[in-house]
Amino acid sequence: FTPENYKTIYLNWMENIYDWCISRQLWWGHRIPAWHCGDCGEITVARETPTACVKCGKGNLTQDPDVLDTWFSSALLPFTTLGWPRATRDLETYYPTSLLITGFDILFFWVARMIMMGCHFMAPPHRPLPVPKGASALAESAPYREVYIHALVRDAERQKMSKTKGNVLDPIEVIEKYGTDATRFTLASMASPGTDIAFNPDRTEGYRSFANKIWNAARFMFMNVDRATEAGVWSLGDLARDVSESGVPGFAVQTLEDRWILSRFNQVAKQVNEALKGYRFHEAANAVYAFFWGEYCDWYLELLKPRLQFEGSFDKSATKSAVGNLVSLFEASLRLLSPFMPFITEEIWHAVYDGKPELKSIALARYPRANEHQINVQAETEMAILQDLIVAVRNIRAELKIEPKAKAPVEIHASADVRKIFEANAGAIERQANVESVKFTEQSLAKEAGARSTARFDVRVIFERKIDVKAERERLTKEREKIEKEMANAERQLGNEGFLAKAPAKVVEGIKARLEELKMLRAKNQAGLDELDRLQ
């Protein structure tokens, strides 16, 4: 059972079974196969309509007017629809099945009763099929192996939708306004096991923007494919069509961003597959969202643009590799996104294969799996450092109110290893952070006004505008309070013997390492405050 707590409820019912009245006075349903004798009062139960009473032999019979309880009838569904009581091929193939997906509100009415019926009619002596060799007759009689209890969709205030309350949302109206994919993704992103979905249409609007982002990324990709085809560099016919292998087929690694995005895709594919296996649909959906929008669109496409050159004496080999990587990664990302947004991914996927895919639908293509050989933790670490620097420079520029188009030089203090990363990617820093030039210094910049410090580097933007000492002091003071709060929490955990005894060694080591980083950041922060005192 997922969530597991429903197992206890289910077992409690199954271990305390009582008879229940299966007769209902409804206008339609399965009529009870029982005939009452008008002469002796005997009840005859039969498959076919009897012509005489089994007791007195007279033909004065009247069928019971009631119908079977709805749940009694539906509990027979798993095996009667497959040919029971005959030993059919369908029954042998599809019973038991693997998974039942249902709501908690019919856990007893339907789930438990299907199992009751299955354990009776699909177990000897009623079982029409032989029990598989080495299997348990009781286990083989249950209609399914797993039960996933999905959430109920409630309104934004977590109230159950009711026509009386007037809080019912029409899904057709939501779909017409925001799109089917956006509506579907909203539900998936909130489908946490054991938690009902508080559906808010405003959130769906955000996922409509996500669908637009995917569409715009596809337009960017096809625009460059057209340019590459015209230049005789690459065409859609060059796309690797064998997607049976794991990872991203046909992806050629040349730069840090290539190594990074390839590793991130495989890490996300691994995370998504594990989440889907555990029915954590919200984790899977949010992981795909963060990768496609944040890492693929916001970072990789921007870092890749300088390599998409088709004019003058451009490097054809580098451009071919860049276009191939762009399309290969996009195609793999579409397959990863497909279960959550099936319509837009289907449309674009057919276009990626120029309308001639080897499979009829993206739903039939192999779902992406992680390729451990394509995971590169070092590349992810290096890229994280580079991203931290670019974001820090962007933040400094915003605080200094530097015009977006104006370029400004930056000064960086870092260790030799980190400096090597920045030097190798100086072009990316200049383009992504709008930097005029990068200068390295052996002196710490922590005391410089307007500088930013991390555990790996100090950076400051060289700009003539006067620093607002008061505002900078407030910023550094808030930063120090945040650092000291986190330090106190880390020290409290490390001083807790009970926590240390239970926590994994890696977790404890991680907290210790973070504490050392925080001490370094606090020292740099204090140096910045001291420098402000000197300026006053």
Side-chain angles (χ1 to χ4, degrees), residues 137-270:
L138 185 60
E140 289 298 310
S141 68
Y144 29 77
R145 308 296 190 191
E146 295 180 58
V147 178
Y148 172 69
I149 305 295
H150 64 69
L152 295 185
V153 181
R154 299 178 181 269
D155 68 10
E157 281 71 43
R158 296 194 175 277
Q159 298 295 316
K160 194 167 183 178
M161 293 188 192
S162 166
K163 290 182 179 179
T164 305
K165 293 180 180 178
N167 64 341
V168 176
L169 285 172
D170 186 343
I172 300 300
E173 292 180 1
V174 177
I175 287 171
E176 288 177 348
K177 185 174 181 179
Y178 299 108
T180 307
D181 283 322
T183 305
R184 181 186 179 97
F185 200 93
T186 304
L187 294 169
S189 68
M190 302 175 73
S192 174
T195 305
D196 286 346
I197 295 173
F199 190 83
N200 189 337
D202 292 341
R203 185 162 179 174
T204 310
E205 186 173 3
Y207 291 123
R208 180 177 61 181
S209 299
F210 181 44
N212 290 337
K213 189 79 170 181
I214 297 166
W215 194 259
N216 289 333
R219 291 176 59 192
F220 173 80
M221 178 192 69
F222 286 125
M223 177 188 71
N224 282 283
V225 168
D226 290 342
R227 294 170 67 195
T229 303
E230 291 174 5
V233 174
W234 196 91
S235 68
L236 289 175
D238 298 326
L239 178 64
R241 290 177 174 257
D242 182 14
V243 297
S244 60
E245 60 182 276
S246 58
V248 184
F251 194 92
V253 173
Q254 288 191 339
T255 62
L256 171 61
E257 62 262 24
D258 286 342
R259 297 196 306 274
W260 166 73
I261 198 67
L262 182 62
S263 181
R264 288 300 306 140
F265 176 85
N266 282 276
Q267 295 276 32
V268 170
K270 183 177 181 180

Side-chain angles (χ1 to χ4, degrees), residues 1-17:
F1 278 84
T2 302
E4 288 187 2
N5 60 295
Y6 288 105
K7 179 179 179 180
T8 304
I9 300 171
Y10 157 77
L11 288 176
N12 183 56
W13 282 331
M14 294 298 284
E15 291 167 357
N16 295 277
I17 293 177

Side-chain angles (χ1 to χ4, degrees), residues 16-242:
N16 295 277
I17 293 177
Y18 292 90
D19 291 342
W20 94 87
C21 180
I22 62 172
S23 177
R24 294 292 181 270
Q25 292 77 47
L26 301 175
W27 283 106
W28 43 70
H30 291 122
R31 197 168 179 185
I32 292 178
W35 286 262
H36 300 267
C37 179
D39 293 317
C40 69
E42 182 67 16
I43 299 175
T44 301
V45 177
R47 289 183 179 277
E48 305 295 336
T49 302
T51 57
C53 175
V54 293
K55 184 177 181 181
C56 68
K58 295 181 179 179
N60 186 17
L61 299 176
T62 304
Q63 186 174 0
D64 197 294
D66 286 1
V67 297
L68 292 170
D69 171 21
T70 301
W71 301 112
F72 182 94
S73 300
S74 58
L76 304 174
L77 176 82
F79 48 89
T80 54
T81 56
L82 300 176
W84 185 94
R86 301 185 309 279
T88 63
R89 177 62 177 163
D90 283 350
L91 193 63
E92 181 182 6
T93 303
Y94 298 111
Y95 194 99
T97 188
S98 57
L99 172 69
L100 174 74
I101 302 176
T102 187
F104 75 86
D105 49 344
I106 55 173
L107 181 61
F108 176 64
F109 292 109
W110 194 32
V111 178
R113 298 188 193 198
M114 277 192 284
I115 294 174
M116 291 177 196
M117 295 296 188
C119 289
H120 181 75
F121 290 108
M122 283 301 293
H126 304 294
R127 183 183 179 87
L129 299 169
V131 178
K133 189 177 180 180
S136 162
L138 185 60
E140 289 298 310
S141 68
Y144 29 77
R145 308 296 190 191
E146 295 180 58
V147 178
Y148 172 69
I149 305 295
H150 64 69
L152 295 185
V153 181
R154 299 178 181 269
D155 68 10
E157 281 71 43
R158 296 194 175 277
Q159 298 295 316
K160 194 167 183 178
M161 293 188 192
S162 166
K163 290 182 179 179
T164 305
K165 293 180 180 178
N167 64 341
V168 176
L169 285 172
D170 186 343
I172 300 300
E173 292 180 1
V174 177
I175 287 171
E176 288 177 348
K177 185 174 181 179
Y178 299 108
T180 307
D181 283 322
T183 305
R184 181 186 179 97
F185 200 93
T186 304
L187 294 169
S189 68
M190 302 175 73
S192 174
T195 305
D196 286 346
I197 295 173
F199 190 83
N200 189 337
D202 292 341
R203 185 162 179 174
T204 310
E205 186 173 3
Y207 291 123
R208 180 177 61 181
S209 299
F210 181 44
N212 290 337
K213 189 79 170 181
I214 297 166
W215 194 259
N216 289 333
R219 291 176 59 192
F220 173 80
M221 178 192 69
F222 286 125
M223 177 188 71
N224 282 283
V225 168
D226 290 342
R227 294 170 67 195
T229 303
E230 291 174 5
V233 174
W234 196 91
S235 68
L236 289 175
D238 298 326
L239 178 64
R241 290 177 174 257
D242 182 14

